[in-house]
């Protein structure tokens, strides 16, 4: 999946920021099932994935990940829901 290919290395297979690369970061990458991410609009998530987060660790992926794959990632992340 697009998430596995582009996101899981940092955000992890449990979407908690504990991927093989992400767990070495301080602070950890965002928990994609956290309230903050899940409250974002689809457009806001797409923008962060595409252009990165200023001052953050999310790299801009607009030039390396096709637009359709970025929208697929957004839909996947939103489908996860808030961690209980």
């Amino acid at each position: 999946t697009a998430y596995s290919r582009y996101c899981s290395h940092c955000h992890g297979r449990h979407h908690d920021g504990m991927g093989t690369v992400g767990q070495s970061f301080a602070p950890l990458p965002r928990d994609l099932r956290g309230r903050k991410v899940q409250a974002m609009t689809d457009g806001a998530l797409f923008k962060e994935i595409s252009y990165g987060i200023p001052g953050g660790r999310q790299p801009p992926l607009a030039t390396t990940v096709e637009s359709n794959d970025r929208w697929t990632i957004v839909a996947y992340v939103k489908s996860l829901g808030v961690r209980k």
Side-chain angles (χ1 to χ4, degrees):
T1 67
Y3 176 83
S4 297
R5 200 169 329 134
Y6 301 113
C7 310
S8 66
H9 307 291
C10 290
H11 291 282
R13 51 174 219 211
H14 300 294
H15 319 100
D16 56 4
M18 293 298 290
T20 55
V21 175
Q23 62 186 299
S24 67
F25 295 159
L28 292 173
R30 286 183 183 170
D31 181 347
L32 299 178
R33 294 189 65 195
R35 292 191 187 282
K36 184 173 183 175
V37 172
Q38 289 297 313
M40 294 174 73
T41 65
D42 291 2
L45 272 174
F46 184 83
K47 183 178 177 185
E48 284 193 358
I49 292 167
S50 298
Y51 304 110
I53 300 172
R57 295 194 182 271
Q58 173 63 46
L61 299 176
T63 60
T64 56
V65 179
E66 295 289 332
S67 179
N68 287 343
D69 282 341
R70 285 180 272 141
W71 281 116
T72 299
I73 292 165
V74 168
Y76 176 74
V77 168
K78 295 298 280 194
S79 77
L80 298 171
V82 175
R83 188 177 306 281
K84 296 184 190 271

